[in-house]
Amino acid sequence: MLYIYHMSITEKYDNVFKALASPIRRQILDDLRDQPLMTGVLCEHFPELSRYAVMQHLSVLEEADLVIVERKGRERWNYLNPLPIHQIHERWIGPHAKRAVALLDRLKVDIEG
Amino acid sequence: MLYIYHMSITEKYDNVFKALASPIRRQILDDLRDQPLMTGVLCEHFPELSRYAVMQHLSVLEEADLVIVERKGRERWNYLNPLPIHQIHERWIGPHAKRAVALLDRLKVDIEG
């Protein structure tokens, strides 16, 4: 039997921002930015945490659709899903303001050194 | 006397995501996306909330640097600051992945109708 659970847009955003409110989870996304990683390898990046704790963080990220998990045999590969972050950007910046914001950001970096 | 408090990058991100985890605060940012608004006008957009509650939400957004407040005499103008949102995008997507993500997003909209 197939259950389809439709989350509202509001619930989706709630999950995304709650997931991102944790520094550890943000660091996991940093680690996944350039390549997918196996769960075991990710755990090695966080020696201060138990494997269980890292897996809990991963499941929060997966629920928020920020991480996509692919199972290959016994391996569990974690991918960063950039779409929710892209949608945040579109919601409040959108195509029209992109150039202006990029310019402002560069100015800020220049001024602050 | 001047006090300068330096927030760490981690604290800054914590504030941003905690601020964005509230649907009301996200709606305030939606309202400010296209134009700055006076606090009184913003309050009228949320008739179910007291003026005090709206001002509390605004101060959380101001603390997270998502809203910039300009005082003109007795008027209090609220502006959306797009920079923190831009920086979230840069952190996990960056310039190299922008085109691919925009394409994926368009595909997703096409598929989902």
Side-chain angles (χ1 to χ4, degrees):
Chain A
M1 210 186 318
L2 185 68
Y3 291 94
I4 298 176
Y5 170 56
H6 278 286
M7 256 194 286
S8 73
I9 300 280
T10 301
E11 283 173 297
K12 274 190 198 174
Y13 273 94
D14 280 350
N15 285 349
V16 167
F17 293 120
K18 279 173 197 161
L20 290 172
S22 145
I24 297 275
R25 290 196 286 267
R26 295 198 295 270
Q27 223 179 307
I28 292 177
L29 294 183
D30 290 342
D31 292 348
L32 297 177
R33 198 183 80 152
D34 296 320
Q35 73 287 304
L37 291 173
M38 277 192 286
T39 300
V41 175
L42 255 180
C43 290
E44 286 167 20
H45 292 190
F46 299 92
E48 71 284 12
L49 296 181
S50 68
R51 189 185 168 86
Y52 177 76
V54 174
M55 293 196 64
Q56 286 294 101
H57 284 304
L58 278 171
S59 84
V60 174
L61 288 166
E62 196 183 356
E63 219 162 299
D65 210 24
L66 287 160
V67 163
I68 293 170
V69 178
E70 191 192 7
R71 285 166 188 85
K72 291 182 187 163
R74 290 193 52 202
E75 290 175 1
R76 206 174 165 281
W77 285 86
N78 303 278
Y79 293 78
L80 171 69
N81 180 12
L83 273 187
I85 291 157
H86 179 69
Q87 285 159 354
I88 294 167
H89 192 267
E90 290 302 292
R91 177 165 175 176
W92 289 302
I93 299 188
H96 56 288
K98 257 178 208 159
R99 245 192 280 167
V101 173
L103 189 71
L104 263 177
D105 201 31
R106 234 176 303 135
L107 268 173
K108 192 166 177 281
V109 170
D110 285 351
I111 290 165
E112 297 178 348
Chain B
M1 207 184 319
L2 186 68
Y3 290 93
I4 298 175
Y5 171 56
H6 278 287
M7 257 194 285
S8 73
I9 300 278
T10 301
E11 283 172 298
K12 274 189 197 175
Y13 274 93
D14 280 350
N15 284 348
V16 167
F17 293 119
K18 280 172 198 163
L20 291 172
S22 145
I24 297 275
R25 289 195 288 266
R26 295 198 295 271
Q27 222 179 307
I28 292 177
L29 294 183
D30 290 342
D31 292 347
L32 297 176
R33 198 182 82 152
D34 296 319
Q35 73 287 306
L37 291 173
M38 277 193 286
T39 300
V41 175
L42 256 180
C43 289
E44 287 167 20
H45 292 191
F46 298 93
E48 72 283 12
L49 295 181
S50 68
R51 189 184 167 86
Y52 177 77
V54 174
M55 292 197 63
Q56 286 295 99
H57 284 304
L58 278 171
S59 84
V60 174
L61 288 167
E62 194 183 359
E63 219 163 298
D65 210 23
L66 286 160
V67 163
I68 294 170
V69 178
E70 191 193 6
R71 285 167 188 85
K72 291 184 188 162
R74 291 192 52 202
E75 289 175 2
R76 205 174 165 280
W77 284 87
N78 303 279
Y79 292 78
L80 170 69
N81 180 12
L83 273 186
I85 290 157
H86 180 69
Q87 284 159 354
I88 294 167
H89 192 268
E90 290 301 292
R91 178 165 176 176
W92 288 301
I93 300 188
H96 57 289
K98 256 178 210 160
R99 245 191 280 167
V101 174
L103 190 68
L104 265 176
D105 201 30
R106 234 175 304 137
L107 269 173
K108 194 167 175 280
V109 171
D110 285 350
I111 291 165
E112 295 177 349

